[in-house]
Amino acid sequence: MRFLTSGESHGPKVNAIVEGFPSNLPVNKERMQEELFKRQGGYGRGRRMQIEKDTFEFGSGVRHGKTLGSPIMMEVNNDDFKHWVNIMGAEPITKEQEAEMKRIITKPRPGHADLVGGMKYNHRDLRNILERSSARETTARVAVGALCKELLHALDINITSRVTKIGRVTDDGAYDYAELSTKNTESSVRMISQEATKEAEAAIDAAKKAGDTLGGVVEVIVENPPVGLGSHVHYDRKLDAKIARSIVSINAFKGVEFGMGFKMAETPGSSVQDEIKFDSEDGFYRSSNNLGGFEGGMTTGMPIVVRGVMKPIPTLYKPLMSVDIETKEAFTATIERSDPCAVPAASIVAEHMVAIEVAEAILDKFPSDDFGDLKASLELYNKRLSEY
Ligand code: EPS
């Protein structure tokens, strides 16, 4: 399976195209749509999300509620485009019109792709960079992830996410999966504790008032993954490594940890490794899950637990110093509309990136044109493992 996304933040559309998905998988479009709506939410989002209604349409690959096996195209209209037709239109414009546009950006924002992208792609209007580097693109990734979640759902594999930190507010206590997957939707910041939710809201309000932004940590949990996805035999087949790459590919994400994570550095080996147990009903299992569901780059069958850290969004209402690319003079960076905190939304994106990696690992291990064949292969494999 492979996928591509396209689209600029204020252009006409955001699109995704998925190739290599099996046929005859039932897809619940409403359930998928809910995932896209969830990405739009969360305390700390800016005004843009009031403009957009991220309803998606299938452009190909799905007929009468089932996949065909052909490429699946999903598209979302940018409702804001109607305000940006002149600025973002595909038609050529004259030099005079260019001068009139007034939205040409020459003062790159520190921490954003603006300056390096402008230098590399040889653009003197940095809008040509920021339109694509915008997190608007993650809409398309969530559409792909939602499709992958349909595959996981049909195989009884569950996936959810939560926010464990916003600024200095931490909520990382242990919860069981069922509790987590309902409580996270009740919190405006996708935390579990109500007190932490209130504290996080206050911290976001304070950052907003100060013209600043807040980062945080998100956690994704996959329950009931098959044993042995990924492989120890080669670096680029390790599934934890692929997941790490996918998490860091999300806009503003800077680090990843699995299970006990960076605390492993200060913990003796005897308290880090998960002891192996066996019972006749469930077969092999681990007595703890400090390694977050991976040994040797392969799933152990324990839940996958992965966290990612998001830096505070670099677009600031009280901007930092920058240099104008035309005059070379020092200026404060351009102020663009921004979200004071997008960590709750980013937890949805992370969840969907992990869903994509797990679905892809399943399709790699059980290559099938037809979903029924895939399911039968997985069942046969599980039967063999149960006799191991
Ligand atoms: C973004 C800036 C804001 C965000 C946007 C990402 O958009 P705008 O400049 O139109 O106000 O709301 O996020 C989304 C559009 C989205 O769908 O998540 C940025 O500069 O990255």
Side-chain angles (χ1 to χ4, degrees):
M1 184 197 106
R2 53 196 168 140
F3 76 96
L4 283 174
T5 71
S6 72
E8 278 75 43
S9 182
H10 302 98
K13 284 175 197 298
V14 180
N15 295 295
I17 188 158
V18 182
E19 203 276 320
F21 224 70
S23 63
N24 295 314
L25 174 76
V27 291
N28 182 331
K29 186 165 181 263
E30 278 169 31
R31 188 163 51 200
M32 289 176 64
Q33 184 60 66
E34 276 309 307
E35 303 290 348
L36 272 84
F37 290 154
K38 273 193 225 162
R39 193 204 67 93
Q40 294 195 272
Y43 200 82
R45 287 291 248 162
R47 272 175 295 124
R48 175 74 185 274
M49 286 307 112
Q50 290 156 22
I51 298 171
E52 300 299 340
K53 183 145 181 43
D54 286 349
T55 45
F56 84 101
E57 296 300 334
F58 285 115
S60 69
V62 174
R63 185 171 176 228
H64 301 157
K66 283 189 183 168
T67 56
L68 293 174
S70 54
I72 299 168
M73 199 270 254
M74 292 167 284
E75 62 174 23
V76 175
N77 286 328
N78 288 328
D79 289 339
D80 209 10
F81 177 61
K82 58 178 175 287
H83 306 122
W84 292 76
V85 176
N86 292 333
I87 297 168
M88 290 302 295
E91 300 304 317
I93 56 164
T94 63
K95 266 270 164 240
E96 294 74 56
Q97 284 172 315
E98 204 176 283
E100 269 168 30
M101 267 211 252
K102 290 199 183 121
R103 299 293 294 254
I104 292 176
I105 293 175
T106 59
K107 300 176 181 68
R109 294 162 296 171
H112 234 284
D114 304 353
L115 179 60
V116 192
M119 292 168 85
K120 180 175 160 69
Y121 284 85
N122 198 16
H123 287 305
R124 303 221 67 93
D125 178 0
L126 301 177
R127 174 162 303 288
N128 290 329
I129 301 302
L130 68 89
E131 282 291 335
R132 179 63 182 161
S133 67
S134 162
R136 180 82 191 130
E137 184 265 348
T138 61
T139 316
R141 299 204 223 176
V142 171
V144 176
L147 182 70
C148 290
K149 279 180 81 168
E150 290 298 299
L151 182 102
L152 301 183
H153 180 82
L155 298 173
D156 264 336
I157 303 163
N158 301 311
I159 176 162
T160 192
S161 61
R162 64 165 168 166
V163 170
T164 58
K165 200 173 182 64
I166 287 182
R168 290 177 185 279
V169 182
T170 302
D171 181 25
D172 61 359
Y175 292 90
D176 71 33
Y177 183 90
E179 195 180 5
L180 183 64
S181 52
T182 52
K183 286 213 165 154
N184 58 7
T185 52
E186 288 164 10
S187 160
S188 64
V189 291
R190 296 182 55 76
M191 283 182 167
I192 304 306
S193 126
Q194 288 182 356
E195 297 80 65
T197 298
K198 284 203 194 91
E199 284 173 39
E201 286 183 356
I204 292 167
D205 289 343
K208 188 176 174 185
K209 210 166 156 209
D212 220 325
T213 55
L214 279 184
V217 176
V218 307
E219 181 178 87
V220 180
I221 299 112
V222 184
E223 247 215 357
N224 196 29
V227 174
L229 297 179
S231 174
H232 66 292
V233 302
H234 206 250
Y235 74 93
D236 56 359
R237 292 177 59 190
K238 291 176 185 249
L239 181 56
D240 49 2
K242 290 184 183 184
I243 288 175
R245 183 184 70 164
S246 270
I247 296 284
V248 178
S249 79
I250 302 167
N251 311 47
F253 273 68
K254 287 297 188 188
V256 184
E257 60 177 14
F258 290 88
M260 188 189 268
F262 281 64
K263 285 200 188 81
M264 287 182 202
E266 64 204 44
T267 314
S270 54
S271 304
V272 169
Q273 321 308 328
D274 305 304
E275 287 187 320
I276 298 171
K277 306 266 180 184
F278 181 82
D279 79 40
S280 49
E281 222 168 87
D282 296 323
F284 291 99
Y285 66 96
R286 309 297 184 279
S287 56
S288 54
N289 192 22
N290 296 330
L291 300 183
F294 284 99
E295 284 170 358
M298 296 171 284
T299 47
T300 59
M302 297 296 283
I304 297 173
V305 181
V306 54
R307 279 180 293 277
V309 60
M310 183 187 194
K311 73 177 178 181
I313 289 179
T315 313
L316 303 174
Y317 281 101
K318 215 165 92 193
L320 298 174
M321 290 306 292
S322 178
V323 174
D324 190 299
I325 59 167
E326 297 305 344
T327 65
K328 311 291 189 284
E329 282 172 24
F331 275 101
T332 51
T334 299
I335 298 176
E336 286 283 311
R337 186 169 54 187
S338 168
D339 305 4
C341 178
V343 177
S347 72
I348 300 293
V349 181
E351 178 181 323
H352 286 77
M353 289 311 290
V354 174
I356 292 169
E357 289 298 346
V358 173
E360 196 174 313
I362 291 172
L363 294 170
D364 278 352
K365 170 124 184 64
F366 308 102
S368 310
D369 299 313
D370 165 62
F371 177 70
D373 289 350
L374 188 161
K375 204 168 171 189
S377 306
L378 175 62
E379 279 163 8
L380 201 63
Y381 171 72
N382 280 337
K383 185 167 181 298
R384 175 172 78 67
L385 293 193
S386 70
E387 291 157 5
Y388 183 82

